């Protein structure tokens, strides 16, 4: 008689897996860590969303003319500031990747550059 015949005719019994005490502890720890990660992410993203939104920033708009460079605009707009700093702030305010501007572009000049 073949042993495989005996196994194939055996009844199938379904049982639930049981976790040991250590398995339950590992599962609980994993859930706590997941919950902590979600809370930290929520706090982090919530803080970034509201950072700096407390006060409106005063700005002036300047239209780029043919032949203008960002350096020229920074020198004229912020004569009492270091031109490199003014260029950096204008780029930041306008989300510019580099110092390239085109005629007709509207640039935002932060008011604190004009005041000093």
């Amino acid at each position: 008689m073949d042993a495989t015949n005996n196994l194939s005719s055996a009844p199938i019994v379904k049982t639930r897996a049981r976790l040991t005490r250590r398995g339950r502890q590992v599962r609980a720890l994993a859930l706590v860590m997941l919950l902590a990660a979600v809370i930290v992410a929520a706090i982090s993203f919530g803080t970034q969303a509201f950072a700096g939104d407390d006060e409106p920033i005063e700005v002036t708009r300047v239209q780029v003319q043919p032949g203008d460079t960002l350096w020229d605009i920074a020198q004229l707009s912020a004569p009492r500031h270091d031109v490199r700093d003014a260029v950096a702030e204008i780029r930041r305010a306008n989300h510019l990747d580099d110092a390239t501007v085109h005629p007709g572009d509207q640039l935002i000049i932060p008011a604190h550059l004009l005041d000093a």
Side-chain angles (χ1 to χ4, degrees), residues 7-98:
L7 292 177
S8 63
S9 63
I12 298 174
V13 178
K14 294 183 179 180
T15 60
R16 290 185 69 173
R18 291 186 181 175
L19 287 176
T20 62
R21 181 175 179 211
R22 183 175 179 177
R24 288 190 298 271
Q25 289 173 342
V26 169
R27 183 180 60 184
L29 179 63
L31 289 173
V32 168
M33 289 176 63
L34 178 64
L35 181 62
V38 169
I39 290 171
V40 167
I43 290 171
S44 172
F45 289 125
T47 303
Q48 289 177 359
F50 295 105
D53 290 344
D54 298 334
E55 294 182 26
I57 299 171
E58 293 184 37
V59 297
T60 299
R61 293 190 181 271
V62 173
Q63 185 167 5
V64 178
Q65 301 300 317
D68 282 349
T69 65
L70 193 55
W71 187 272
D72 296 334
I73 293 169
Q75 277 183 319
L76 292 172
S77 301
R80 295 187 185 143
H81 288 274
D82 185 295
V83 179
R84 294 169 292 197
D85 294 338
V87 167
E89 288 200 44
I90 293 170
R91 283 182 55 196
R92 193 175 314 117
N94 291 280
H95 306 288
L96 298 175
D97 293 330
D98 57 24

